[in-house]
Amino acid sequence: KAGVTQTPRYLIKTRGQQVTLSCSPISGHRSVSWYQQTPGQGLQFLFEYFSETQRNKGNFPGRFSGRQFSNSRSEMNVSTLELGDSALYLCASSPTRSSYEQYFGPGTRLTVT
Amino acid sequence: AQKVTQAQTEISVVEKEDVTLDCVYETRDTTYYLFWYKQPPSGELVFLIRRNSFDEQNEISGRYSWNFQKSTSSFNFTITASQVVDSAVYFCALLLAGGTSYGKLTFGQGTILTVHP
């Protein structure tokens, strides 16, 4: 089985722009979670999607949003980028919400200049 | 709120030494899961182990072993006979069962392990 894939792997954006990151879960997995990793704050939960609905959300401003499609692929969007949004964004997939397993993708490294 | 603490920020050892990474967690929930992940320089988080709160059996997998003690809220990870390829950042994480906690891992700050040849 292919693992979790994330595109693009690297991205450079300018402050004020918006960005969309994509995550394709492991085949058959229906839950997708997103995390932000920064040197200062570590790994922080952004949100979780299941059956095309956001089920859980972390403490991030409304500039961070996401969605999930019927094939379980997920996208996250960050609008009005700030320098502090520079981070590694990791996506994790899980077979179901109650399986308590999370398999991570390679991440998208976003740099905001 | 739950919390995971990894006391060691960095550990440096010489190849073939044994090394233990400490993890202490806080939660009021009685049902939860604990994880260890490895993050090599490539950035991907590699799953190593998951234990649930009702299973305090220690586990050994090759050179890796885990010691889960509910009485001290600790879930420590030992690498026996370390190798250079073990160099990475290691994260301990906590996942509460059910309710609003699905999919929400709480991570420790990570321990950078460097194994020198």
Side-chain angles (χ1 to χ4, degrees), chain A residues 9 33 35 37 40-43 45 48 56 88 90 97-106, chain B residues 33 35 37 39 42-45 47 50 91 95-98 100-105 107 109:
Chain A
R9 292 293 312 278
S33 296
Y35 294 83
Q37 184 177 22
Q41 299 300 316
L43 278 153
F45 171 78
E48 182 236 355
N56 205 350
L88 179 66
L90 291 160
R97 301 193 76 210
S98 58
S99 61
Y100 305 111
E101 304 167 31
Q102 292 209 346
Y103 299 94
F104 284 82
Chain B
Y33 294 81
F35 298 76
Y37 285 92
Q39 187 176 44
S42 60
E44 181 170 351
L45 283 172
F47 169 82
R50 178 190 68 172
F91 290 94
L95 181 64
L96 303 183
T100 59
S101 301
Y102 284 125
K104 182 180 177 181
L105 282 164
F107 286 89
Q109 285 298 104

Side-chain angles (χ1 to χ4, degrees), chain B residues 8 17 23 26 32-35 39 45-47 50 55 57 59 64 73 75 79-80 90 97 100:
Chain B
Q8 304 130 318
E17 280 187 42
C23 172
E26 296 174 30
Y32 51 86
Y33 294 81
L34 294 163
F35 298 76
Q39 187 176 44
L45 283 172
V46 178
F47 169 82
R50 178 190 68 172
D55 183 3
Q57 253 190 329
E59 182 158 336
Y64 296 168
S73 296
F75 186 42
I79 302 174
T80 303
Y90 290 85
T100 59

Side-chain angles (χ1 to χ4, degrees), chain A residues 37-79:
Chain A
Q37 184 177 22
T38 59
Q41 299 300 316
L43 278 153
Q44 293 186 287
F45 171 78
L46 279 158
F47 27 62
E48 182 236 355
Y49 283 87
F50 180 78
S51 291
E52 303 176 61
T53 303
Q54 186 183 96
R55 306 286 181 158
N56 205 350
K57 191 177 189 323
N59 295 325
F60 279 82
R63 299 184 298 106
F64 291 82
S65 63
R67 59 178 174 167
Q68 187 181 34
F69 302 94
S70 58
N71 61 358
S72 296
R73 189 177 72 85
S74 178
E75 288 181 348
M76 68 161 280
N77 183 278
V78 188
S79 62

